[in-house]
Short mmCIF file of all heavy atoms in Angstrom, two decimals:
data_model
loop_
_atom_site.label_atom_id
_atom_site.label_comp_id
_atom_site.label_asym_id
_atom_site.label_seq_id
_atom_site.Cartn_x
_atom_site.Cartn_y
_atom_site.Cartn_z
N MET A 1 36.88 -14.86 41.01
CA MET A 1 37.28 -14.03 39.87
C MET A 1 36.07 -13.24 39.37
O MET A 1 35.01 -13.78 39.09
CB MET A 1 37.82 -14.94 38.76
CG MET A 1 38.27 -14.22 37.51
SD MET A 1 39.82 -13.33 37.73
CE MET A 1 40.01 -12.60 36.11
N LEU A 2 36.23 -11.94 39.27
CA LEU A 2 35.14 -11.08 38.84
C LEU A 2 34.97 -11.12 37.32
O LEU A 2 35.95 -11.19 36.59
CB LEU A 2 35.43 -9.64 39.22
CG LEU A 2 35.07 -9.20 40.63
CD1 LEU A 2 35.54 -7.78 40.84
CD2 LEU A 2 33.59 -9.32 40.88
N PRO A 3 33.72 -11.04 36.88
CA PRO A 3 33.50 -10.84 35.44
C PRO A 3 34.11 -9.50 35.01
O PRO A 3 34.45 -8.67 35.85
CB PRO A 3 31.98 -10.81 35.32
CG PRO A 3 31.46 -11.48 36.55
CD PRO A 3 32.47 -11.18 37.62
N ASP A 4 34.23 -9.32 33.72
CA ASP A 4 34.78 -8.10 33.14
C ASP A 4 34.04 -6.86 33.64
O ASP A 4 32.81 -6.84 33.75
CB ASP A 4 34.66 -8.21 31.62
CG ASP A 4 35.21 -6.98 30.94
OD1 ASP A 4 36.44 -6.87 30.87
OD2 ASP A 4 34.40 -6.14 30.51
N ALA A 5 34.78 -5.80 33.97
CA ALA A 5 34.18 -4.60 34.55
C ALA A 5 33.16 -3.94 33.62
O ALA A 5 32.15 -3.42 34.09
CB ALA A 5 35.28 -3.61 34.92
N ASP A 6 33.41 -3.97 32.33
CA ASP A 6 32.45 -3.37 31.40
C ASP A 6 31.13 -4.15 31.41
O ASP A 6 30.05 -3.58 31.34
CB ASP A 6 33.02 -3.31 29.98
CG ASP A 6 34.11 -2.26 29.87
OD1 ASP A 6 34.05 -1.25 30.61
OD2 ASP A 6 35.03 -2.45 29.07
N LEU A 7 31.26 -5.46 31.53
CA LEU A 7 30.07 -6.32 31.62
C LEU A 7 29.31 -6.01 32.91
O LEU A 7 28.07 -5.89 32.92
CB LEU A 7 30.52 -7.78 31.60
CG LEU A 7 29.42 -8.85 31.57
CD1 LEU A 7 28.72 -8.83 30.22
CD2 LEU A 7 30.02 -10.22 31.84
N LEU A 8 30.06 -5.85 34.00
CA LEU A 8 29.43 -5.56 35.28
C LEU A 8 28.77 -4.18 35.27
O LEU A 8 27.69 -4.00 35.84
CB LEU A 8 30.47 -5.63 36.41
CG LEU A 8 30.97 -7.04 36.71
CD1 LEU A 8 32.12 -6.97 37.71
CD2 LEU A 8 29.85 -7.92 37.24
N TYR A 9 29.41 -3.24 34.60
CA TYR A 9 28.81 -1.90 34.54
C TYR A 9 27.50 -1.94 33.75
O TYR A 9 26.52 -1.29 34.12
CB TYR A 9 29.78 -0.89 33.94
CG TYR A 9 29.24 0.51 34.07
CD1 TYR A 9 29.30 1.19 35.27
CD2 TYR A 9 28.63 1.14 32.98
CE1 TYR A 9 28.77 2.47 35.41
CE2 TYR A 9 28.09 2.42 33.11
CZ TYR A 9 28.17 3.08 34.32
OH TYR A 9 27.64 4.33 34.45
N ALA A 10 27.49 -2.70 32.69
CA ALA A 10 26.25 -2.85 31.89
C ALA A 10 25.16 -3.48 32.76
O ALA A 10 23.99 -3.07 32.70
CB ALA A 10 26.52 -3.70 30.65
N ALA A 11 25.55 -4.46 33.57
CA ALA A 11 24.58 -5.11 34.46
C ALA A 11 24.07 -4.12 35.51
O ALA A 11 22.88 -4.09 35.84
CB ALA A 11 25.23 -6.32 35.14
N LEU A 12 24.98 -3.29 36.01
CA LEU A 12 24.60 -2.28 37.00
C LEU A 12 23.62 -1.28 36.40
O LEU A 12 22.59 -0.96 37.00
CB LEU A 12 25.87 -1.56 37.48
CG LEU A 12 25.67 -0.39 38.44
CD1 LEU A 12 25.17 -0.88 39.79
CD2 LEU A 12 26.99 0.37 38.62
N ALA A 13 23.94 -0.81 35.20
CA ALA A 13 23.08 0.17 34.54
C ALA A 13 21.70 -0.41 34.25
O ALA A 13 20.69 0.29 34.31
CB ALA A 13 23.73 0.64 33.25
N ALA A 14 21.66 -1.72 33.99
CA ALA A 14 20.40 -2.38 33.67
C ALA A 14 19.72 -2.95 34.91
O ALA A 14 18.62 -3.48 34.83
CB ALA A 14 20.66 -3.50 32.67
N ARG A 15 20.42 -2.88 36.06
CA ARG A 15 19.92 -3.49 37.31
C ARG A 15 19.59 -4.96 37.08
O ARG A 15 18.54 -5.46 37.47
CB ARG A 15 18.71 -2.74 37.85
CG ARG A 15 19.04 -1.30 38.21
CD ARG A 15 17.81 -0.45 38.35
NE ARG A 15 18.09 0.91 38.77
CZ ARG A 15 18.68 1.84 38.03
NH1 ARG A 15 19.09 1.54 36.81
NH2 ARG A 15 18.90 3.05 38.49
N ASP A 16 20.51 -5.63 36.40
CA ASP A 16 20.27 -7.02 35.98
C ASP A 16 20.30 -7.97 37.17
O ASP A 16 21.36 -8.17 37.78
CB ASP A 16 21.37 -7.38 34.97
CG ASP A 16 21.15 -8.76 34.36
OD1 ASP A 16 20.30 -9.51 34.88
OD2 ASP A 16 21.82 -9.06 33.37
N PRO A 17 19.17 -8.59 37.50
CA PRO A 17 19.14 -9.48 38.68
C PRO A 17 20.02 -10.71 38.53
O PRO A 17 20.36 -11.36 39.52
CB PRO A 17 17.66 -9.85 38.82
CG PRO A 17 17.04 -9.54 37.50
CD PRO A 17 17.86 -8.46 36.86
N ALA A 18 20.40 -11.03 37.31
CA ALA A 18 21.27 -12.20 37.10
C ALA A 18 22.63 -12.00 37.75
O ALA A 18 23.33 -12.97 38.05
CB ALA A 18 21.44 -12.47 35.61
N PHE A 19 23.00 -10.75 38.01
CA PHE A 19 24.31 -10.46 38.59
C PHE A 19 24.25 -10.18 40.09
O PHE A 19 25.28 -9.91 40.71
CB PHE A 19 24.96 -9.28 37.86
CG PHE A 19 25.49 -9.66 36.51
CD1 PHE A 19 24.65 -9.71 35.41
CD2 PHE A 19 26.83 -10.00 36.35
CE1 PHE A 19 25.13 -10.08 34.16
CE2 PHE A 19 27.32 -10.37 35.10
CZ PHE A 19 26.46 -10.41 34.01
N GLU A 20 23.06 -10.24 40.65
CA GLU A 20 22.91 -9.99 42.08
C GLU A 20 23.83 -10.91 42.88
O GLU A 20 23.82 -12.12 42.69
CB GLU A 20 21.44 -10.22 42.48
CG GLU A 20 21.18 -10.25 43.97
CD GLU A 20 21.49 -8.94 44.67
OE1 GLU A 20 21.40 -7.88 44.02
OE2 GLU A 20 21.84 -8.98 45.85
N GLY A 21 24.64 -10.31 43.75
CA GLY A 21 25.51 -11.10 44.62
C GLY A 21 26.82 -11.54 43.99
O GLY A 21 27.71 -12.01 44.68
N ARG A 22 26.97 -11.38 42.68
CA ARG A 22 28.21 -11.80 42.02
C ARG A 22 29.30 -10.75 42.14
O ARG A 22 30.49 -11.05 42.02
CB ARG A 22 27.97 -12.11 40.54
CG ARG A 22 27.13 -13.36 40.35
CD ARG A 22 27.00 -13.71 38.90
NE ARG A 22 28.28 -14.02 38.29
CZ ARG A 22 28.47 -14.15 36.97
NH1 ARG A 22 27.45 -13.99 36.15
NH2 ARG A 22 29.65 -14.43 36.49
N ALA A 23 28.88 -9.50 42.34
CA ALA A 23 29.83 -8.41 42.48
C ALA A 23 29.13 -7.24 43.14
O ALA A 23 27.89 -7.20 43.19
CB ALA A 23 30.37 -7.99 41.11
N PHE A 24 29.92 -6.31 43.64
CA PHE A 24 29.38 -5.10 44.26
C PHE A 24 30.07 -3.90 43.62
O PHE A 24 31.26 -3.96 43.29
CB PHE A 24 29.62 -5.14 45.77
CG PHE A 24 28.87 -6.28 46.41
CD1 PHE A 24 29.44 -7.54 46.49
CD2 PHE A 24 27.57 -6.10 46.86
CE1 PHE A 24 28.73 -8.61 47.03
CE2 PHE A 24 26.85 -7.16 47.40
CZ PHE A 24 27.43 -8.41 47.50
N ALA A 25 29.30 -2.83 43.46
CA ALA A 25 29.81 -1.64 42.78
C ALA A 25 30.23 -0.60 43.81
O ALA A 25 29.43 -0.17 44.63
CB ALA A 25 28.71 -1.08 41.88
N CYS A 26 31.49 -0.20 43.75
CA CYS A 26 32.01 0.85 44.65
C CYS A 26 32.10 2.15 43.87
O CYS A 26 32.71 2.20 42.79
CB CYS A 26 33.41 0.46 45.13
SG CYS A 26 33.43 -1.04 46.12
N VAL A 27 31.50 3.21 44.45
CA VAL A 27 31.50 4.50 43.77
C VAL A 27 32.50 5.42 44.47
O VAL A 27 32.33 5.81 45.62
CB VAL A 27 30.09 5.13 43.77
CG1 VAL A 27 30.11 6.45 42.99
CG2 VAL A 27 29.08 4.16 43.17
N ARG A 28 33.54 5.74 43.74
CA ARG A 28 34.67 6.50 44.28
C ARG A 28 34.25 7.88 44.78
O ARG A 28 34.70 8.35 45.82
CB ARG A 28 35.72 6.63 43.17
CG ARG A 28 36.99 7.35 43.53
CD ARG A 28 38.03 7.13 42.44
NE ARG A 28 37.56 7.51 41.11
CZ ARG A 28 37.62 8.76 40.62
NH1 ARG A 28 38.12 9.72 41.34
NH2 ARG A 28 37.18 9.02 39.41
N THR A 29 33.35 8.52 44.05
CA THR A 29 32.98 9.90 44.38
C THR A 29 32.13 10.02 45.64
O THR A 29 32.15 11.04 46.31
CB THR A 29 32.22 10.55 43.21
OG1 THR A 29 31.27 9.61 42.73
CG2 THR A 29 33.17 10.92 42.11
N THR A 30 31.38 8.96 45.96
CA THR A 30 30.49 9.01 47.12
C THR A 30 30.99 8.17 48.28
O THR A 30 30.51 8.31 49.40
CB THR A 30 29.07 8.53 46.75
OG1 THR A 30 29.17 7.20 46.25
CG2 THR A 30 28.44 9.42 45.70
N GLY A 31 31.93 7.24 48.02
CA GLY A 31 32.41 6.35 49.07
C GLY A 31 31.40 5.29 49.47
O GLY A 31 31.48 4.70 50.54
N ILE A 32 30.44 5.06 48.57
CA ILE A 32 29.35 4.12 48.83
C ILE A 32 29.52 2.89 47.94
O ILE A 32 30.00 2.99 46.82
CB ILE A 32 27.99 4.80 48.49
CG1 ILE A 32 27.74 6.01 49.39
CG2 ILE A 32 26.83 3.82 48.54
CD1 ILE A 32 27.33 5.71 50.78
N PHE A 33 29.08 1.73 48.46
CA PHE A 33 29.01 0.58 47.56
C PHE A 33 27.59 0.03 47.52
O PHE A 33 26.83 0.17 48.46
CB PHE A 33 30.03 -0.51 47.92
CG PHE A 33 29.77 -1.26 49.20
CD1 PHE A 33 29.10 -2.48 49.20
CD2 PHE A 33 30.23 -0.77 50.41
CE1 PHE A 33 28.88 -3.18 50.38
CE2 PHE A 33 30.01 -1.46 51.60
CZ PHE A 33 29.34 -2.67 51.58
N CYS A 34 27.27 -0.58 46.38
CA CYS A 34 25.91 -0.99 46.07
C CYS A 34 25.85 -2.40 45.52
O CYS A 34 26.81 -2.90 44.95
CB CYS A 34 25.34 -0.10 44.96
SG CYS A 34 24.81 1.51 45.53
N ARG A 35 24.65 -2.98 45.64
CA ARG A 35 24.34 -4.17 44.86
C ARG A 35 24.24 -3.75 43.39
O ARG A 35 23.94 -2.59 43.11
CB ARG A 35 22.98 -4.74 45.26
CG ARG A 35 22.84 -5.15 46.71
CD ARG A 35 21.40 -5.55 46.97
NE ARG A 35 21.18 -5.78 48.39
CZ ARG A 35 21.33 -6.98 48.97
NH1 ARG A 35 21.66 -8.02 48.25
NH2 ARG A 35 21.12 -7.13 50.26
N LEU A 36 24.43 -4.70 42.49
CA LEU A 36 24.30 -4.36 41.07
C LEU A 36 22.85 -4.04 40.71
O LEU A 36 22.59 -3.44 39.67
CB LEU A 36 24.84 -5.48 40.17
CG LEU A 36 26.34 -5.76 40.28
CD1 LEU A 36 26.81 -6.58 39.11
CD2 LEU A 36 27.16 -4.49 40.39
N THR A 37 21.93 -4.43 41.56
CA THR A 37 20.51 -4.19 41.30
C THR A 37 20.00 -2.94 42.02
O THR A 37 18.80 -2.73 42.11
CB THR A 37 19.67 -5.40 41.73
OG1 THR A 37 20.01 -5.71 43.09
CG2 THR A 37 19.95 -6.61 40.87
N CYS A 38 20.89 -2.10 42.52
CA CYS A 38 20.48 -0.91 43.28
C CYS A 38 19.55 0.00 42.47
O CYS A 38 19.84 0.28 41.30
CB CYS A 38 21.71 -0.12 43.69
SG CYS A 38 21.27 1.29 44.74
N PRO A 39 18.46 0.46 43.09
CA PRO A 39 17.54 1.35 42.39
C PRO A 39 18.05 2.79 42.24
O PRO A 39 17.47 3.57 41.48
CB PRO A 39 16.27 1.32 43.26
CG PRO A 39 16.77 0.98 44.62
CD PRO A 39 17.96 0.09 44.42
N ALA A 40 19.11 3.14 42.94
CA ALA A 40 19.63 4.52 42.85
C ALA A 40 20.21 4.77 41.46
O ALA A 40 20.57 3.85 40.74
CB ALA A 40 20.69 4.76 43.93
N ARG A 41 20.34 6.05 41.11
CA ARG A 41 20.89 6.42 39.81
C ARG A 41 22.30 5.86 39.64
O ARG A 41 23.11 5.93 40.56
CB ARG A 41 20.92 7.95 39.70
CG ARG A 41 21.07 8.46 38.29
CD ARG A 41 20.87 9.97 38.26
NE ARG A 41 21.99 10.67 38.91
CZ ARG A 41 23.12 10.97 38.28
NH1 ARG A 41 23.29 10.66 37.02
NH2 ARG A 41 24.08 11.60 38.92
N THR A 42 22.58 5.30 38.49
CA THR A 42 23.88 4.69 38.23
C THR A 42 24.95 5.76 38.09
O THR A 42 24.78 6.71 37.34
CB THR A 42 23.80 3.84 36.95
OG1 THR A 42 22.75 2.89 37.09
CG2 THR A 42 25.11 3.11 36.71
N ALA A 43 26.04 5.59 38.81
CA ALA A 43 27.16 6.53 38.73
C ALA A 43 27.87 6.41 37.39
O ALA A 43 27.73 5.41 36.68
CB ALA A 43 28.13 6.27 39.87
N LYS A 44 28.63 7.44 37.06
CA LYS A 44 29.41 7.41 35.81
C LYS A 44 30.41 6.25 35.82
O LYS A 44 30.97 5.92 36.87
CB LYS A 44 30.18 8.72 35.65
CG LYS A 44 29.31 9.91 35.33
CD LYS A 44 30.22 11.07 34.89
CE LYS A 44 29.40 12.27 34.44
NZ LYS A 44 28.74 12.92 35.59
N ARG A 45 30.62 5.70 34.66
CA ARG A 45 31.51 4.54 34.51
C ARG A 45 32.88 4.77 35.15
O ARG A 45 33.43 3.90 35.82
CB ARG A 45 31.66 4.20 33.02
CG ARG A 45 32.66 3.11 32.73
CD ARG A 45 32.14 1.77 33.24
NE ARG A 45 33.14 0.72 33.07
CZ ARG A 45 34.08 0.44 33.97
NH1 ARG A 45 34.16 1.14 35.07
NH2 ARG A 45 34.93 -0.54 33.76
N GLY A 46 33.43 5.95 34.95
CA GLY A 46 34.77 6.23 35.45
C GLY A 46 34.86 6.30 36.97
O GLY A 46 35.96 6.25 37.52
N ASN A 47 33.72 6.42 37.63
CA ASN A 47 33.71 6.52 39.09
C ASN A 47 33.37 5.20 39.77
O ASN A 47 33.36 5.13 40.99
CB ASN A 47 32.70 7.58 39.54
CG ASN A 47 33.10 8.97 39.10
OD1 ASN A 47 34.29 9.26 38.96
ND2 ASN A 47 32.13 9.83 38.86
N VAL A 48 33.09 4.18 38.98
CA VAL A 48 32.64 2.91 39.54
C VAL A 48 33.70 1.84 39.34
O VAL A 48 34.27 1.70 38.26
CB VAL A 48 31.33 2.44 38.85
CG1 VAL A 48 30.84 1.13 39.46
CG2 VAL A 48 30.26 3.52 38.97
N SER A 49 33.98 1.09 40.41
CA SER A 49 34.82 -0.09 40.29
C SER A 49 34.09 -1.22 41.01
O SER A 49 33.14 -1.00 41.74
CB SER A 49 36.20 0.16 40.87
OG SER A 49 36.11 0.55 42.22
N PHE A 50 34.56 -2.43 40.79
CA PHE A 50 33.81 -3.58 41.28
C PHE A 50 34.65 -4.45 42.20
O PHE A 50 35.86 -4.58 42.01
CB PHE A 50 33.29 -4.41 40.10
CG PHE A 50 32.32 -3.62 39.25
CD1 PHE A 50 32.78 -2.93 38.14
CD2 PHE A 50 30.99 -3.52 39.60
CE1 PHE A 50 31.91 -2.15 37.38
CE2 PHE A 50 30.11 -2.76 38.85
CZ PHE A 50 30.57 -2.08 37.74
N ARG A 51 33.97 -5.02 43.21
CA ARG A 51 34.61 -5.94 44.13
C ARG A 51 33.77 -7.21 44.20
O ARG A 51 32.56 -7.15 43.98
CB ARG A 51 34.71 -5.35 45.54
CG ARG A 51 35.42 -4.01 45.62
CD ARG A 51 36.90 -4.12 45.33
NE ARG A 51 37.55 -2.81 45.45
CZ ARG A 51 37.61 -1.91 44.49
NH1 ARG A 51 37.08 -2.17 43.31
NH2 ARG A 51 38.21 -0.76 44.69
N ALA A 52 34.44 -8.30 44.57
CA ALA A 52 33.73 -9.58 44.59
C ALA A 52 32.88 -9.78 45.83
O ALA A 52 31.97 -10.61 45.84
CB ALA A 52 34.74 -10.72 44.45
N SER A 53 33.19 -9.05 46.90
CA SER A 53 32.47 -9.30 48.14
C SER A 53 32.23 -8.03 48.94
O SER A 53 32.94 -7.03 48.77
CB SER A 53 33.25 -10.30 49.01
OG SER A 53 34.41 -9.67 49.52
N VAL A 54 31.25 -8.09 49.82
CA VAL A 54 30.98 -6.99 50.74
C VAL A 54 32.21 -6.71 51.60
O VAL A 54 32.57 -5.56 51.84
CB VAL A 54 29.76 -7.34 51.62
CG1 VAL A 54 29.61 -6.36 52.79
CG2 VAL A 54 28.48 -7.35 50.78
N ALA A 55 32.86 -7.77 52.04
CA ALA A 55 34.04 -7.61 52.90
C ALA A 55 35.13 -6.80 52.20
O ALA A 55 35.79 -5.95 52.82
CB ALA A 55 34.58 -8.98 53.32
N ASP A 56 35.31 -7.04 50.91
CA ASP A 56 36.32 -6.29 50.15
C ASP A 56 35.97 -4.81 50.10
O ASP A 56 36.84 -3.94 50.24
CB ASP A 56 36.43 -6.83 48.72
CG ASP A 56 37.10 -8.19 48.65
OD1 ASP A 56 37.71 -8.60 49.66
OD2 ASP A 56 37.00 -8.84 47.59
N CYS A 57 34.70 -4.51 49.90
CA CYS A 57 34.26 -3.11 49.83
C CYS A 57 34.50 -2.43 51.18
O CYS A 57 35.03 -1.31 51.24
CB CYS A 57 32.78 -3.03 49.48
SG CYS A 57 32.34 -3.74 47.89
N LEU A 58 34.10 -3.09 52.25
CA LEU A 58 34.26 -2.52 53.59
C LEU A 58 35.73 -2.32 53.93
O LEU A 58 36.11 -1.31 54.53
CB LEU A 58 33.59 -3.42 54.64
CG LEU A 58 32.06 -3.49 54.57
CD1 LEU A 58 31.55 -4.57 55.51
CD2 LEU A 58 31.42 -2.14 54.91
N ALA A 59 36.56 -3.28 53.53
CA ALA A 59 37.99 -3.22 53.83
C ALA A 59 38.65 -2.01 53.18
O ALA A 59 39.65 -1.49 53.67
CB ALA A 59 38.68 -4.51 53.37
N GLU A 60 38.05 -1.55 52.07
CA GLU A 60 38.60 -0.39 51.38
C GLU A 60 37.95 0.91 51.83
O GLU A 60 38.20 1.97 51.25
CB GLU A 60 38.48 -0.57 49.87
CG GLU A 60 39.39 -1.70 49.40
CD GLU A 60 39.36 -1.86 47.90
OE1 GLU A 60 39.40 -0.85 47.18
OE2 GLU A 60 39.29 -3.01 47.44
N GLY A 61 37.09 0.81 52.85
CA GLY A 61 36.52 2.01 53.44
C GLY A 61 35.22 2.48 52.83
O GLY A 61 34.73 3.57 53.16
N PHE A 62 34.64 1.70 51.93
CA PHE A 62 33.34 2.08 51.36
C PHE A 62 32.24 1.76 52.37
O PHE A 62 32.34 0.81 53.14
CB PHE A 62 33.09 1.33 50.05
CG PHE A 62 33.96 1.80 48.93
CD1 PHE A 62 35.14 1.13 48.61
CD2 PHE A 62 33.63 2.93 48.19
CE1 PHE A 62 35.96 1.57 47.58
CE2 PHE A 62 34.44 3.37 47.16
CZ PHE A 62 35.61 2.69 46.86
N ARG A 63 31.18 2.58 52.32
CA ARG A 63 30.04 2.36 53.21
C ARG A 63 28.88 1.80 52.42
O ARG A 63 28.70 2.14 51.25
CB ARG A 63 29.64 3.69 53.86
CG ARG A 63 30.63 4.14 54.93
CD ARG A 63 30.31 5.52 55.45
NE ARG A 63 30.51 6.54 54.41
CZ ARG A 63 29.54 7.30 53.90
NH1 ARG A 63 28.31 7.19 54.31
NH2 ARG A 63 29.81 8.19 52.97
N PRO A 64 28.08 0.93 53.06
CA PRO A 64 26.95 0.32 52.33
C PRO A 64 25.87 1.34 51.98
O PRO A 64 25.54 2.23 52.77
CB PRO A 64 26.41 -0.75 53.29
CG PRO A 64 26.96 -0.42 54.63
CD PRO A 64 28.22 0.39 54.43
N CYS A 65 25.35 1.23 50.79
CA CYS A 65 24.28 2.09 50.29
C CYS A 65 23.03 1.94 51.15
O CYS A 65 22.72 0.86 51.63
CB CYS A 65 23.98 1.66 48.86
SG CYS A 65 22.56 2.47 48.11
N ARG A 66 22.29 3.05 51.30
CA ARG A 66 21.07 3.01 52.11
C ARG A 66 19.82 2.80 51.26
O ARG A 66 18.71 2.88 51.76
CB ARG A 66 20.97 4.29 52.93
CG ARG A 66 22.12 4.35 53.94
CD ARG A 66 22.27 5.70 54.55
NE ARG A 66 21.22 5.93 55.55
CZ ARG A 66 21.41 6.57 56.69
NH1 ARG A 66 22.60 7.05 56.97
NH2 ARG A 66 20.43 6.75 57.52
N ARG A 67 20.04 2.56 49.97
CA ARG A 67 18.90 2.21 49.11
C ARG A 67 18.82 0.69 48.95
O ARG A 67 17.75 0.12 48.99
CB ARG A 67 19.06 2.85 47.74
CG ARG A 67 18.98 4.35 47.72
CD ARG A 67 17.57 4.88 47.92
NE ARG A 67 16.63 4.45 46.87
CZ ARG A 67 16.52 5.02 45.68
NH1 ARG A 67 17.28 6.04 45.35
NH2 ARG A 67 15.63 4.60 44.81
N CYS A 68 19.97 0.06 48.73
CA CYS A 68 19.95 -1.38 48.40
C CYS A 68 20.53 -2.27 49.50
O CYS A 68 20.47 -3.49 49.38
CB CYS A 68 20.69 -1.62 47.08
SG CYS A 68 22.44 -1.17 47.13
N PHE A 69 21.06 -1.68 50.56
CA PHE A 69 21.56 -2.44 51.72
C PHE A 69 22.41 -3.65 51.32
O PHE A 69 22.04 -4.79 51.61
CB PHE A 69 20.39 -2.89 52.60
CG PHE A 69 19.59 -1.77 53.17
CD1 PHE A 69 18.36 -1.43 52.60
CD2 PHE A 69 20.06 -1.05 54.24
CE1 PHE A 69 17.61 -0.38 53.13
CE2 PHE A 69 19.31 0.01 54.78
CZ PHE A 69 18.09 0.33 54.22
N PRO A 70 23.54 -3.43 50.67
CA PRO A 70 24.37 -4.55 50.20
C PRO A 70 24.92 -5.41 51.34
O PRO A 70 25.25 -6.58 51.13
CB PRO A 70 25.50 -3.87 49.42
CG PRO A 70 25.55 -2.48 49.96
CD PRO A 70 24.12 -2.14 50.31
N ALA A 71 25.02 -4.85 52.53
CA ALA A 71 25.55 -5.63 53.66
C ALA A 71 24.41 -6.19 54.52
O ALA A 71 24.63 -6.72 55.60
CB ALA A 71 26.47 -4.75 54.51
N GLY A 72 23.19 -6.08 54.02
CA GLY A 72 22.03 -6.56 54.77
C GLY A 72 21.29 -5.41 55.41
O GLY A 72 21.88 -4.38 55.72
N ARG A 73 20.00 -5.57 55.56
CA ARG A 73 19.20 -4.50 56.16
C ARG A 73 19.46 -4.41 57.65
O ARG A 73 19.61 -5.41 58.32
CB ARG A 73 17.71 -4.76 55.93
CG ARG A 73 17.31 -4.53 54.51
CD ARG A 73 15.82 -4.74 54.28
NE ARG A 73 15.52 -4.45 52.88
CZ ARG A 73 15.21 -3.24 52.43
NH1 ARG A 73 15.15 -2.23 53.26
NH2 ARG A 73 14.99 -3.04 51.16
N PRO A 74 19.54 -3.17 58.17
CA PRO A 74 19.73 -3.02 59.62
C PRO A 74 18.50 -3.51 60.36
O PRO A 74 17.40 -3.50 59.82
CB PRO A 74 19.91 -1.51 59.80
CG PRO A 74 19.34 -0.89 58.58
CD PRO A 74 19.43 -1.90 57.47
N ASP A 75 18.68 -3.96 61.57
CA ASP A 75 17.55 -4.47 62.37
C ASP A 75 16.65 -3.33 62.83
O ASP A 75 17.12 -2.23 63.02
CB ASP A 75 18.08 -5.23 63.60
CG ASP A 75 18.79 -6.51 63.18
OD1 ASP A 75 18.39 -7.08 62.14
OD2 ASP A 75 19.72 -6.90 63.88
ZN1 ZN B 1 22.70 1.05 46.36
#
């Protein structure tokens, strides 16, 4: 069960390490998903939704961010 989306968005905006791995942020406008601690600029609230796992993000067609490597760093 995911925490409240507004709480997650606040964590994303703050890059709060306490939320690392608890949820992933999917950005509708870019088709990218991120760790909540991603160093990239935070997308607008209305464009961000949250998933509990990397698998959920991938299943919906989002691609992993190249700043924070939510699916793990490539070899
Ligand atoms: Zn990212």
Side-chain angles (χ1 to χ4, degrees):
M1 180 74 181
L2 275 176
D4 180 76
D6 288 330
L7 185 69
L8 290 173
Y9 188 78
L12 175 68
R15 298 163 177 70
D16 186 348
F19 285 83
E20 169 64 28
R22 291 185 62 191
F24 296 87
C26 297
V27 183
R28 182 167 55 85
T29 44
T30 59
I32 297 285
F33 69 96
C34 282
R35 300 174 188 270
L36 295 196
T37 53
C38 184
R41 198 171 70 84
T42 304
K44 289 193 175 71
R45 174 68 185 88
N47 294 331
V48 182
S49 57
F50 297 94
R51 305 291 182 274
S53 71
V54 168
D56 287 347
C57 299
L58 292 171
E60 292 183 43
F62 289 97
R63 287 173 293 116
C65 173
R66 295 167 76 142
R67 293 286 300 279
C68 62
F69 298 103
R73 288 182 178 272
D75 292 329

